Amino acid sequence: MHALGRHLLVELHGCHPDLLKKVDAVKDILVGAARACGATIVDVAFHEFNPFGVSGVVVIAESHLSIHTWPEYRYAAVDIFTCGDVIKPEHAVSYVASRFRCKSPSVVEVKRGLIPGQGKVAHKIATEDKVGETIADGAQELSLVH
Amino acid sequence: MHALGRHLLVELHGCHPDLLKKVDAVKDILVGAARACGATIVDVAFHEFNPFGVSGVVVIAESHLSIHTWPEYRYAAVDIFTCGDVIKPEHAVSYVASRFRCKSPSVVEVKRGLIPGQGKVAHKIATEDKVGETIADGAQELSLVH
């Protein structure tokens, strides 16, 4: 079986609390994590809550990264959901742990979209301007895009 | 121990493929799911990929909902990450399964941010305009906001 996506659920306990409080700082870190693992950023949405804490998402061509912070508990929940062979989500884990000063991140990996068969699984192309070719065993062949 | 968040990882296989292809339709369903479970919507970010497929996120005051669709496999990965006692994420699961015509959704629940102690866990307030009070055992008391 092949998985369409890899989903890393990251628990960051013991972070430096000041780093979890402000939306600009948290956004900078999650965008940096997306770049660190080689993702193609498509959109971002971040919000700061009252009295403090941030929620945010970086939508990538290869799925998404998300974060929710609780500075009062020195904790952040990070999700790194990626597809394809090019992206290295482990790099994003190391990056966020380092930037938030979390010494012992906990990571659970879940395979998403397990598909029977042995063919290479298609990877989406972000925009119509990009050239790409996808091949999926058991599914209709997708066209080459110019 | 108490969890700061509940995270439902939803696998929707066997969906009607046409319902997974277009960004407006998928956005309508995920926004509907957020409303169905009682969430407060803060932001949305949705994108359509080439040749087809949609990725999207609904950021809510209580964390987020996300979706990634693969029409060629009749599959969608949905995540419903919520906090607090008011939201009913199971309603969102039923809603998306019904709207995408998935007869047998698979759901795995993960507790996020397990915190030692017995106090009520704080729930964030979406904006600075809202009145609220949060109490967290083991953390500093947070101020009443007017």
Side-chain angles (χ1 to χ4, degrees), chain B residues 107-141:
Chain B
V107 186
V108 171
E109 178 169 341
V110 179
K111 290 185 164 77
R112 305 296 297 272
L114 281 168
I115 305 293
Q118 297 180 352
K120 181 179 176 183
V121 173
H123 171 60
K124 298 180 195 294
I125 300 157
T127 70
E128 292 187 349
D129 292 334
K130 292 192 179 174
V131 174
E133 180 178 6
T134 53
I135 300 168
D137 183 46
Q140 64 186 95
E141 187 169 294

Side-chain angles (χ1 to χ4, degrees), chain A residues 79-99:
Chain A
D79 285 70
I80 302 166
F81 190 143
T82 60
C83 311
D85 302 325
V86 176
I87 304 302
K88 303 296 180 191
E90 302 84 2
H91 294 177
V93 175
S94 304
Y95 184 92
V96 294
S98 172
R99 290 286 309 267

Side-chain angles (χ1 to χ4, degrees), chain A residues 4-5 7-11 13 21 42-57 59-64 66 68-73 75-79 81 83 110-115 120-130 134-140 142-143 145, chain B residues 4-5 7-11 13 42-57 59-64 66-73 75-79 81 83 110-115 120-130 134-140 142-143 145:
Chain A
L4 291 166
H7 186 169
L8 304 188
L9 286 71
V10 186
E11 300 285 276
H13 285 279
K21 286 182 177 177
V42 175
D43 203 351
V44 296
F46 279 79
H47 291 270
E48 190 170 316
F49 291 91
N50 187 25
F52 39 64
V54 175
S55 281
V57 182
V59 182
I60 57 176
E62 303 84 357
S63 294
H64 77 271
S66 67
H68 302 290
T69 77
W70 279 262
E72 65 274 36
Y73 295 104
Y75 166 77
V78 176
D79 285 70
F81 190 143
C83 311
V110 179
K111 289 184 162 80
R112 305 297 295 272
L114 282 169
I115 305 292
K120 181 178 177 182
V121 171
H123 171 58
K124 297 180 194 299
I125 301 159
T127 70
E128 292 187 349
D129 293 332
K130 291 192 179 175
T134 54
I135 300 167
D137 183 47
Q140 64 184 98
L142 305 170
S143 61
V145 176
Chain B
L4 292 167
H7 185 170
L8 304 188
L9 286 70
V10 186
E11 300 284 277
H13 285 278
V42 176
D43 203 351
V44 296
F46 279 78
H47 291 269
E48 189 170 315
F49 292 91
N50 186 28
F52 39 62
V54 175
S55 281
V57 182
V59 182
I60 57 176
E62 303 84 356
S63 295
H64 77 271
S66 66
I67 186 167
H68 302 289
T69 77
W70 280 261
E72 65 273 37
Y73 296 104
Y75 166 78
V78 174
D79 285 70
F81 190 143
C83 312
V110 179
K111 290 185 164 77
R112 305 296 297 272
L114 281 168
I115 305 293
K120 181 179 176 183
V121 173
H123 171 60
K124 298 180 195 294
I125 300 157
T127 70
E128 292 187 349
D129 292 334
K130 292 192 179 174
T134 53
I135 300 168
D137 183 46
Q140 64 186 95
L142 305 170
S143 61
V145 178

